Amino acid sequence: MAGRTVRNRPSRVGTSRAVRIAAAAACASLVLTACGSTKDTASPGAGGGGGEGEVGVILPLLTSPFWQSYNDYVPKMAKSEDVDAHKTVNSNSDPSQQITDINNQLNQGVKGLVVAPLDSAAISAGLDQAERKGVPVVAVDVAPEKGKVAMVVRADNVAYGEKACDYLGKQVKTGKVVQIMGDLASVNGRERSEAFRTCVKKKFPKLKVLEIPAKWESDTAASKLDTLLNSNPDIKGIYMQAGGVYLAPTLQTLKSKKMLKKTGEKGHITVISNDGIPQEFDAIRKGQIDATVSQPADAYAKYGMYYIKAAMNGKKFKPGPTDHDSTIVKLPSGILEDQLPAPLVTKENVDDSTLWGNTVT
């Protein structure tokens, strides 16, 4: 999630039938080989600054604090990685617009693209266009279902759901818990949802999971949570899959029903989130929520730039550990993904200065 609103939505959204047809028409898979380390041994050139090898950067949206932070990090990390990056382009939560944005960047002659896909399937149409022009692509936050990318820069979304499950299960021994899900058209939404569901069933069978499909939309989350609480006032826990989108409406809904109790107070509902934005950290400090899994906005920008420069210089990678505490894995599609660490943040470590959420305003 990283998050999106409608409207207010995070990094992924459903798409039109026309876009899905276009996506289905695009195909190609890339199996990269060579080195798991990310130490830069590539020669200067296509990825360098000074006007060489310009890179287009396409955002999914700018209505989420997570993506606002990522957007702020992009020029800083491009400079630190010596990448000549264009001004970012915002696809405004529209998968069809994102394909247009990719084509526009290609027509402007970029030599590389860093894209945060809105839809795991629809993005393949844009990847197909880039492949035809010989332009490498790095995907950030969302892995495409198919298509050619040099690398996916992303945290382990299965781990997000499992960490949320483990935390809630230790705090709530029995009763009802809710997961407010993202868009199931996105691999992120699917992986978080299934991981949480499976973990609860296996480890905490005394918990009953109620689900809210919210499509990364804040208004949908608020409306459905309100309805669910009317019929289930005994909810004991909530897992929000994207704090950047769901935090404010969730807290407001609980407050309106006089169910927003601080940690330690009788009737407190245990809440864990995903994203690691400053607003979540503040909510943890205030006792409004209990934990979040910090999705690394800074590292997404840094390694997005690193890998696109490497790809433009012809450098290739293979599965294995990296030099920055992550692991490159091969996805079932054959695409490589650098799974960056995403720490659990609670009141015990919320003030850790190394967390990116504590370094932005």
Side-chain angles (χ1 to χ4, degrees):
M1 200 182 251
R4 136 163 78 169
T5 52
V6 174
R7 341 146 330 186
N8 267 358
R9 299 180 242 196
S11 68
R12 321 98 179 134
V13 88
T15 184
S16 66
R17 185 166 182 263
V19 175
R20 288 197 174 281
I21 292 172
C27 65
S29 63
L30 178 66
V31 179
L32 298 174
T33 58
C35 140
S37 169
T38 56
K39 292 187 182 299
D40 189 358
T41 57
S43 60
E52 298 179 10
E54 292 182 339
V55 171
V57 182
I58 298 176
L59 308 175
L61 56 116
L62 276 173
T63 50
S64 160
F66 177 85
W67 289 110
Q68 291 164 6
S69 296
Y70 171 81
N71 184 53
D72 290 341
Y73 279 121
V74 164
K76 300 172 187 177
M77 296 305 182
K79 182 177 181 180
S80 70
E81 294 297 318
D82 195 27
V83 171
D84 184 5
H86 282 195
K87 183 178 179 180
T88 57
V89 176
N90 175 19
S91 297
N92 201 29
S93 300
D94 184 343
S96 299
Q97 181 60 46
Q98 189 162 73
I99 303 305
T100 300
D101 292 338
I102 290 173
N103 287 331
N104 288 342
Q105 291 290 299
L106 293 172
N107 290 336
Q108 291 175 29
V110 297
K111 303 302 180 184
L113 280 170
V114 177
V115 180
L118 280 159
D119 185 287
S120 302
I123 193 64
S124 63
L127 298 179
D128 183 56
Q129 293 299 318
E131 182 181 16
R132 290 180 185 179
K133 291 182 177 290
V135 174
V137 180
V138 168
V140 171
D141 182 57
V142 173
E145 292 182 2
K146 58 182 179 180
K148 183 176 182 178
V149 295
M151 184 68 70
V152 177
V153 176
R154 178 175 176 253
D156 184 350
N157 279 248
V158 171
Y160 288 0
E162 291 175 343
K163 288 181 180 181
C165 160
D166 285 333
Y167 186 86
L168 269 184
K170 292 173 183 176
Q171 306 299 317
V172 182
K173 303 302 181 182
T174 184
K176 300 173 184 176
V177 296
V178 181
Q179 69 161 331
I180 306 177
M181 301 185 292
D183 193 342
L184 300 182
S186 160
V187 64
N188 289 8
R190 293 196 300 271
E191 287 187 350
R192 296 178 198 186
S193 300
E194 182 58 29
F196 181 81
R197 189 184 302 129
T198 301
C199 171
V200 169
K201 183 177 181 180
K202 179 179 179 181
K203 294 184 178 181
F204 307 104
K206 292 184 179 180
L207 295 182
K208 180 179 180 181
V209 178
L210 305 179
E211 298 183 336
I212 296 176
K215 298 183 180 179
W216 312 119
E217 298 172 355
S218 62
D219 52 355
T220 300
S223 174
K224 291 187 176 183
L225 179 60
D226 184 88
T227 299
L228 186 145
L229 290 174
N230 286 338
S231 56
N232 297 273
D234 53 344
I235 292 296
K236 294 183 178 179
I238 297 175
Y239 167 39
M240 304 182 296
Q241 290 188 5
V245 176
Y246 301 148
L247 177 66
T250 296
L251 294 182
Q252 184 56 44
T253 300
L254 293 176
K255 183 178 180 180
S256 70
K257 293 184 172 297
K258 303 187 185 307
M259 299 173 72
L260 184 59
K261 309 293 184 181
K262 291 185 179 180
T263 303
E265 291 183 356
K266 184 178 180 180
H268 171 70
I269 295 174
T270 303
V271 180
I272 182 169
S273 185
N274 287 161
D275 269 355
I277 58 175
Q279 292 89 336
E280 288 171 310
F281 289 4
D282 288 343
I284 290 173
R285 295 183 184 104
K286 293 175 181 176
Q288 295 174 326
I289 72 171
D290 300 81
T292 186
V293 180
S294 179
Q295 188 169 212
D298 53 348
Y300 279 8
K302 177 179 176 63
Y303 291 104
M305 292 300 143
Y306 168 78
Y307 282 114
I308 197 60
K309 179 178 178 178
M312 291 190 297
N313 282 327
K315 186 175 180 180
K316 299 183 185 296
F317 299 87
K318 66 180 181 181
T322 72
D323 53 21
H324 51 270
D325 298 322
S326 68
T327 302
I328 296 176
V329 300
K330 181 182 287 188
L331 302 178
S333 61
I335 294 172
L336 294 185
E337 176 176 291
D338 187 354
Q339 294 188 334
L340 301 175
L344 178 70
V345 181
T346 66
K347 62 182 180 180
E348 281 73 27
N349 65 335
V350 69
D351 294 319
D352 187 340
S353 61
T354 64
L355 295 168
W356 74 266
N358 285 324
T359 66
V360 297
T361 57

